[in-house]
Amino acid sequence: MSGAFSLINMHYLLGGLVVTIVVSVISILISFVLGTLIGIILFEKVPYFTKTVRFISNTIRNLPLLLLIFFTFFALPKLGVELNAFAATVVAMSVFEASMVGEIIRGGLLSVGADQAEGALSTGMNKVQTLWHILLPQALKKSIPPLISQFISLVKDTSLATAIVLPELTFRSQVIYGQNPNYMIPMFITIAIMYFIINYGLSLLAKWFDKRMV
């Protein structure tokens, strides 16, 4: 059993943890930017454009993330877009999470009182200035806890990339216990602890923001 925790295995497993973290961070940043834009579009109700964005966003949100990962990795090359496992995972997760973030941001904007916008417009601000300086900052502040919760799900969902052989944490644990079935339980426990540390840290951050906003 102790062989499962050999220096070589732990070094290999930590390399997978690095891949998981890098994929998560990049996907979080991209999905946050895209999701914020989607949320604004959904909130502003731009004729025709908003309906199109809402349809696409709703469609993506109701698809399995694994299906999107398969599509970016296996189907896009048929359309002339070649992506390696890392890029395919980032693209799929960013698009999927952006649709989720968009709804969170839209909800945050709706939670800001209409009187805030009316007051800003009455001072001479235009709609863009009102959105950027008054509505969006308040909406983002209110959206922080649900955003962090969504990003916790994103970190856990990186394990789905095992299906396209991305050498992240779960995949590397499979490689290790594939050498010796007796290593399976130790590896499951080890990666569970690693995922727990990352996600529990994020959940504590969400609670901290919650208390700050009360």
Side-chain angles (χ1 to χ4, degrees), residues 99-171:
S99 66
M100 300 294 188
V101 172
E103 285 299 316
I104 293 174
I105 297 299
R106 183 184 71 86
L109 287 168
L110 289 173
S111 69
V112 180
D115 58 321
Q116 298 276 342
E118 293 170 359
L121 292 171
S122 67
T123 64
M125 286 187 175
N126 58 38
K127 289 191 67 174
V128 174
Q129 291 172 326
T130 299
L131 175 66
W132 184 256
H133 295 290
I134 305 298
L135 302 182
L136 192 56
Q138 295 183 68
L140 288 175
K141 185 178 179 181
K142 294 182 178 183
S143 299
I144 288 175
L147 281 174
I148 294 178
S149 296
Q150 186 59 44
F151 294 146
I152 288 174
S153 296
L154 183 153
V155 174
K156 292 184 289 186
D157 287 343
T158 56
S159 61
L160 294 173
T162 300
I164 58 172
V165 201
L166 178 71
E168 45 74 61
L169 187 57
T170 301
F171 176 82

Side-chain angles (χ1 to χ4, degrees), residues 2 4 23 38 71-72 96 122 145 163 167 170 172 185 196 210-211:
S2 60
V23 168
I38 292 171
F71 179 81
T72 55
F96 183 78
S122 67
T170 301
R172 294 199 181 200
I185 293 178
F196 175 80
D210 247 341
K211 292 179 180 178

Side-chain angles (χ1 to χ4, degrees), residues 22-190:
V22 172
V23 168
S24 299
V25 170
I26 295 175
S27 299
I28 285 171
L29 292 175
I30 295 175
S31 64
F32 176 72
V33 174
L34 289 179
T36 299
L37 291 174
I38 292 171
I40 291 172
I41 292 170
L42 296 178
F43 173 75
E44 287 296 330
K45 298 179 181 178
V46 182
Y48 302 109
F49 187 52
T50 293
K51 288 185 177 180
T52 302
V53 172
R54 180 180 291 112
F55 174 77
I56 296 173
S57 178
N58 287 341
T59 300
I60 292 173
R61 283 192 300 111
N62 287 285
L63 292 176
L65 175 55
L66 184 59
L67 177 62
L68 293 178
I69 292 174
F70 281 160
F71 179 81
T72 55
F73 187 68
F74 294 114
L76 285 185
K78 304 292 184 181
L79 302 175
V81 181
E82 294 282 348
L83 295 175
N84 58 30
F86 182 91
T89 302
V90 169
V91 169
M93 296 193 71
S94 296
V95 170
F96 183 78
E97 292 299 325
S99 66
M100 300 294 188
V101 172
E103 285 299 316
I104 293 174
I105 297 299
R106 183 184 71 86
L109 287 168
L110 289 173
S111 69
V112 180
D115 58 321
Q116 298 276 342
E118 293 170 359
L121 292 171
S122 67
T123 64
M125 286 187 175
N126 58 38
K127 289 191 67 174
V128 174
Q129 291 172 326
T130 299
L131 175 66
W132 184 256
H133 295 290
I134 305 298
L135 302 182
L136 192 56
Q138 295 183 68
L140 288 175
K141 185 178 179 181
K142 294 182 178 183
S143 299
I144 288 175
L147 281 174
I148 294 178
S149 296
Q150 186 59 44
F151 294 146
I152 288 174
S153 296
L154 183 153
V155 174
K156 292 184 289 186
D157 287 343
T158 56
S159 61
L160 294 173
T162 300
I164 58 172
V165 201
L166 178 71
E168 45 74 61
L169 187 57
T170 301
F171 176 82
R172 294 199 181 200
S173 73
Q174 291 177 344
V175 171
I176 293 173
Y177 68 69
Q179 301 169 6
N180 187 333
N182 293 326
Y183 294 169
M184 183 180 293
I185 293 178
M187 284 300 101
F188 283 165
I189 293 174
T190 302

